Amino acid sequence: MNLTGYELAYSGKVRDLFVPVGETLTSADRLLMVASDRVSAFDHVLEPAIPGKGAALTSMTRWWSERLDLGGQFLDVPVPEQVADRAVLVKSLDMLPVECVVRGRVTGSGLQEYLATGAISGVELPWGLADGDELVPPVFTPAWKAPQGEHDENIPFERVVELVGEEAAEEIRERSLSVFSQAVKIAASKGLVLADTKFEFGRDRETGEIVLADEILTSDSSRYWDAEALQQGRIESFDKQIVRNWLSETWGGEGAPPELPEAIVRRTSDRYAELLSRLQSD
């Protein structure tokens, strides 16, 4: 993809980073973050892509950033027309190598770890919890952010301290829990349960300030459930859980994952769009 004034500097699982022509990720003071329609699950990028996904995720990030005090990641500068619906211009940051996962419900990989150990990322939890049960208060269960192609690894808070220092570790934990708690209340007003989410932080290269970065509270970084269905004992997800479930049922985890059926792609695309519509409703 050719974007006037920018060149591709990095392509991740689902997002691409562009820098001004002649700059690098190290030298550029700003980055163009473009959300693709690619979808990943279990650390694999899958085929085919999910139509409309990139635009939906970008709209969610913008929507949440307008409602929460998230700091100065975004720059109010026009982006190239070709990617206007799925791109934001952001400050260049030195990213911290930690995924700040906050869980308000026990589910997914956290449930599997809990059933095996009684804890998630070293956080001891009450005995007898089942899928979807609420965690009061929400818990901070960080992960080491692995390079592309490797598996992210749940880590205890003590390891976060080793990676980023005690002061920074405390700050990103407290800010993650605070933003999550605010978002839970807003989601509830839309008939949604925010089960968990993942935040990432980086340091401003000029001031050293820690800034919330990357996508924010999207259906790729978060699990959203229908609140009414949950009250009736059903988990109806608005994220890529449809993809995860299908892969779990059809793929043993060895070799390349299978291609997604058209029906799964269509259902996933519809759920992304429905979540965005629910959030934006009055």
Side-chain angles (χ1 to χ4, degrees):
M1 179 169 49
N2 294 319
L3 299 178
T4 303
Y6 292 90
E7 55 190 12
L8 181 65
Y10 174 78
S11 185
K13 293 174 185 174
V14 296
R15 277 176 299 284
D16 299 318
L17 295 179
F18 291 79
V19 296
V21 171
E23 300 284 356
T24 66
L25 286 174
T26 302
S27 65
D29 64 352
R30 64 188 187 277
L31 303 173
L32 185 68
M33 186 171 69
V34 181
S36 75
D37 288 344
R38 299 189 298 271
V39 63
S40 71
F42 306 121
D43 296 313
H44 287 269
V45 178
L46 309 173
E47 296 287 349
I50 307 298
K53 174 176 171 285
L57 296 186
T58 301
S59 293
M60 288 178 205
T61 289
R62 289 173 176 161
W63 190 88
W64 280 110
S65 69
E66 293 169 357
R67 283 155 182 80
L68 300 170
D69 181 14
L70 302 178
Q73 173 185 193
F74 303 108
L75 300 174
D76 188 17
V77 179
V79 302
E81 184 62 30
Q82 305 105 295
V83 292
D85 64 337
R86 54 191 182 92
V88 290
L89 198 65
V90 298
K91 286 183 179 180
S92 295
L93 303 170
D94 291 325
M95 298 301 294
L96 303 181
V98 176
E99 292 191 335
C100 297
V101 180
V102 182
R103 302 178 188 271
R105 302 275 173 166
V106 58
T107 194
S109 63
L111 174 63
Q112 295 173 13
E113 184 176 347
Y114 163 75
L115 292 175
T117 68
I120 306 176
S121 293
V123 178
E124 297 288 338
L125 297 174
W127 180 252
L129 295 176
D131 192 11
D133 282 353
E134 188 173 9
L135 297 170
V136 182
V139 296
F140 181 72
T141 59
W144 172 69
K145 186 171 176 56
Q148 186 169 352
E150 298 183 29
H151 294 285
D152 296 340
E153 176 187 345
N154 289 348
I155 56 176
F157 182 72
E158 291 75 16
R159 178 59 178 149
V160 180
V161 173
E162 294 175 359
L163 288 168
V164 303
E166 184 173 1
E167 184 176 348
E170 292 283 358
E171 179 175 347
I172 61 178
R173 177 170 64 178
E174 293 309 310
R175 288 179 61 184
S176 296
L177 290 167
S178 175
V179 173
F180 181 79
S181 295
Q182 295 174 63
V184 164
K185 295 176 183 177
I186 294 173
S189 72
K190 309 291 184 177
L192 299 166
V193 172
L194 177 60
D196 57 37
T197 196
K198 170 184 70 67
F199 298 118
E200 295 190 35
F201 292 86
R203 286 192 181 276
D204 187 298
R205 291 177 177 176
E206 293 183 359
T207 67
E209 175 190 8
I210 294 178
V211 179
L212 180 59
D214 202 52
E215 62 181 329
I216 300 167
L217 294 161
T218 73
S219 44
D220 258 16
S221 63
S222 317
R223 282 186 175 88
Y224 288 92
W225 300 336
D226 181 87
E228 184 176 349
L230 189 63
Q231 289 179 345
Q232 298 171 2
R234 305 190 316 275
I235 293 178
E236 293 187 3
S237 180
F238 288 93
D239 47 59
K240 60 183 178 182
Q241 192 62 44
I242 295 169
V243 172
R244 294 190 192 100
N245 291 346
W246 182 83
L247 272 183
S248 296
E249 294 166 0
T250 60
W251 180 53
E254 298 294 330
E259 185 171 302
L260 298 174
E262 180 182 349
I264 295 296
V265 171
R266 184 173 60 253
R267 285 175 56 203
T268 304
S269 179
D270 288 347
R271 293 302 267 178
Y272 277 90
E274 185 178 351
L275 173 62
L276 179 60
S277 177
R278 290 274 290 266
L279 290 172
Q280 293 177 334
S281 64
D282 294 331

